[in-house]
Amino acid sequence: MIRLLAALGMLFFLTGCTWDRTLGAFFDPVDGPRFQAPGAAPEDRAYLVIYRPYSEWAEDELEAPSVYVNGDVAVNIKSNGYALFNLEPGKYDVVLKRPAFGQDLFFMEDSFLEEQPVNFNRIGGFQINAAGGQTYYLRYSELTSPPYDPASKQELLGDGPLQFVSWRSGKDELGQTRMLQPLMVLAAPEIVEVVEEPEQEEGSWWLFGLDTVELW
């Protein structure tokens, strides 16, 4: 145990003291306020709730995965924790990644590594098309499936352990979770229109030759 702690301390020092951002519940248990339902979302905004139910395995986690929204770190999702986001209507790329001492495990994710069968960095992800007045509940668990909601007629959507659930399905688990961080307000990314310039037709080499070659 002493050797393990010494090794972890050395790695923490070598990574520029950035490991605290990804500490798991083993080192930093969630102690925020209990979950409170956000209420109805305004017509011009949307709510996104990301939560992780309690498990003994997650409680022993040294580092917890991070949720990235549109390429930026949004929350470190630890055992028995939740985070609330206030979204401007629009499209959001949500990706869950597994870190290594405060850093992404693969620094070349956009290279050939992304296409390999096993990617130890990426856990799951998809795009959310947030609509005004809507509240979305996103559940992360690698051990259990979401509670069954017989009243919900929609099939579960998600990517592996990261799945959307209904309020009826997730409310009991959510009621046990604690706040990971204060409310985060996010703006939808701007849509940049790419205007393609018309291709210029190449001049005929024969006509070009008329200007440079003396004809007999």
Side-chain angles (χ1 to χ4, degrees), residues 111-179:
S111 67
F112 70 95
L113 293 175
E114 187 178 17
E115 301 176 358
Q116 300 309 306
V118 179
N119 186 335
F120 293 101
N121 186 37
R122 187 182 185 279
I123 298 175
F126 38 78
Q127 188 177 80
I128 299 176
N129 190 7
Q134 297 297 315
T135 300
Y136 305 91
Y137 296 92
L138 192 55
R139 180 185 189 267
Y140 165 55
S141 176
E142 299 194 35
L143 298 179
T144 60
S145 299
Y148 177 66
D149 176 17
S152 177
K153 298 181 180 180
Q154 295 182 348
E155 297 182 359
L156 292 176
L157 300 176
D159 184 8
L162 193 62
Q163 294 187 329
F164 286 102
V165 296
S166 66
W167 163 247
R168 290 172 57 94
S169 176
K171 64 178 182 178
D172 290 339
E173 290 182 330
L174 272 167
Q176 303 301 316
T177 60
R178 293 184 177 273
M179 182 184 294

Side-chain angles (χ1 to χ4, degrees), residues 22 57 61 63-66 68 96-100 103-106 119-123 140 142 161:
T22 62
W57 177 78
E61 206 171 42
E63 278 195 288
S66 294
Y68 289 72
L96 185 63
K97 295 182 180 181
R98 184 176 289 109
Q103 304 293 329
D104 285 343
L105 188 59
F106 288 153
N119 186 335
F120 293 101
N121 186 37
R122 187 182 185 279
I123 298 175
Y140 165 55
E142 299 194 35

Side-chain angles (χ1 to χ4, degrees), residues 38 40-42 44-49 83-89 92 130 134 182-188:
D44 59 343
R45 306 293 297 185
Y47 288 147
L48 171 64
V49 179
L84 175 63
F85 299 89
N86 184 313
L87 308 178
E88 178 185 3
Y92 297 83
Q134 297 297 315
L183 170 71
M184 180 177 289
V185 180
L186 299 178

Side-chain angles (χ1 to χ4, degrees), residues 182-202:
L183 170 71
M184 180 177 289
V185 180
L186 299 178
E190 296 183 1
I191 301 177
V192 179
E193 295 184 1
V194 179
V195 180
E196 297 183 0
E197 296 183 358
E199 296 182 0
Q200 296 182 354
E201 296 183 0
E202 296 182 0

Side-chain angles (χ1 to χ4, degrees), residues 3 17-18 56 59 70 75 91 118 133 137 165 170 185 201:
R3 291 182 178 179
C17 301
T18 60
E56 292 185 5
E59 288 291 316
N70 293 337
V75 64
K91 294 182 179 180
V118 179
Y137 296 92
V165 296
V185 180
E201 296 183 0

